[in-house]
Amino acid sequence: GFKIVEWLDLKSDERVLEPSCGHGAISRFFPAFTNNVMIEPSYELSTKAMINSIGDVYNFDFEKYSIVNSFSKIAMNPPFGHGGSLAAEHIEKCLRYHLRRLNCQPKLIAIVPHSPIYDKKMEQILAKKEISKYFEMTKEIILPLCTFERAGTNVRCKIQFFELKKINAWSEENSFERIDLSDAKDIREFFDKIEHLNF
């Protein structure tokens, strides 16, 4: 959560969103100098998020959140659904409606499943004209199985970055970076690997 917020590179007064924030594992690191909004359908978890985080916490499903709300930065650990299909739908909603397009550095960072079903779904979403015109996936970090051991799960996951589309000055292709940290043997080694990983 700390590194995701660091990678968002938040600036003063920016509007920041975390849909499905749970108990605030990411949003607890949102600074006081940004305008923070968290959404969590579970009453129990949203109450914990209110204690752990600075900002407005809303207790309802993200699907019900009005599309008129826009943000400069978004951090997500969405519910995965079958094979990651629900995670892809939540990211699509954010890219289509909630991530600002006129801001100079809009960014969405999401923890998602490392699964072929999810990858196929996201490929289709990123090919849609209303999204591909503005945004692209710029980075992907493959996580080790030990990442969420404390949460009682060993689902294969990765972190993906989505940013405003840029054309490489030297070619017509968009830049993309993949970092594979899946070989980390335990959480200590994993934290050592990401501690100084900056973008």
Side-chain angles (χ1 to χ4, degrees):
F2 175 83
K3 288 302 291 186
I4 286 175
V5 173
E6 182 181 287
W7 292 331
L8 281 176
D9 190 24
L10 300 174
K11 302 295 191 296
S12 181
D13 293 328
E14 281 189 320
R15 281 175 52 81
V16 188
L17 171 68
E18 186 186 1
S20 305
C21 69
H23 59 74
I26 298 175
S27 62
R28 70 179 60 204
F29 298 107
F30 287 169
F33 59 73
T34 51
N35 299 306
N36 310 318
V37 174
M38 289 73 72
I39 299 169
E40 173 51 49
S42 163
Y43 177 76
E44 180 181 356
L45 292 176
S46 65
T47 302
K48 292 179 180 178
M50 289 178 190
I51 297 170
N52 294 329
S53 312
I54 298 172
D56 299 322
V57 180
Y58 298 104
N59 179 219
F60 50 70
D61 291 324
F62 176 55
E63 290 85 348
K64 296 178 181 177
Y65 192 51
S66 174
I67 61 175
V68 302
N69 296 289
S70 62
F71 299 85
S72 301
K73 306 287 171 63
I74 301 175
M76 303 178 68
N77 183 9
F80 288 178
H82 175 65
S85 58
L86 186 56
E89 289 171 10
H90 278 209
I91 291 173
E92 178 178 11
K93 184 174 188 284
C94 283
L95 293 176
R96 187 188 291 263
Y97 301 115
H98 297 300
L99 191 61
R100 287 180 177 168
R101 299 171 180 179
L102 299 179
N103 183 284
C104 59
Q105 291 182 315
K107 187 183 297 183
L108 184 157
I109 303 178
I111 300 172
V112 299
H114 191 30
S115 90
I117 297 174
Y118 167 82
D119 290 343
K120 182 66 175 177
K121 183 80 171 175
M122 276 310 305
E123 184 181 333
Q124 295 169 349
I125 289 170
L126 291 173
K128 293 182 179 180
K129 186 176 181 181
E130 60 272 26
I131 291 176
S132 65
K133 182 178 178 181
Y134 300 101
F135 299 111
E136 63 180 337
M137 187 191 306
T138 56
K139 299 177 186 67
E140 183 174 82
I141 304 172
I142 311 299
L143 302 177
L145 283 172
C146 64
T147 306
F148 299 107
E149 277 183 346
R150 285 183 61 188
T153 179
N154 61 352
V155 176
R156 291 179 57 80
C157 298
K158 54 190 173 185
I159 298 174
Q160 292 181 328
F161 292 61
F162 300 87
E163 299 179 74
L164 199 63
K165 200 165 190 175
K166 297 175 183 176
I167 300 298
N168 188 305
W170 303 105
S171 73
E172 292 301 313
E173 296 182 1
N174 298 318
S175 61
F176 175 76
E177 181 180 9
R178 177 177 285 114
I179 300 169
D180 190 347
L181 303 180
S182 61
D183 61 345
K185 298 177 183 63
D186 54 42
I187 200 69
R188 185 181 297 275
E189 182 181 344
F190 170 57
F191 283 167
D192 286 344
K193 286 176 179 287
I194 68 167
E195 181 179 4
H196 302 294
L197 187 59
N198 298 311
F199 304 109

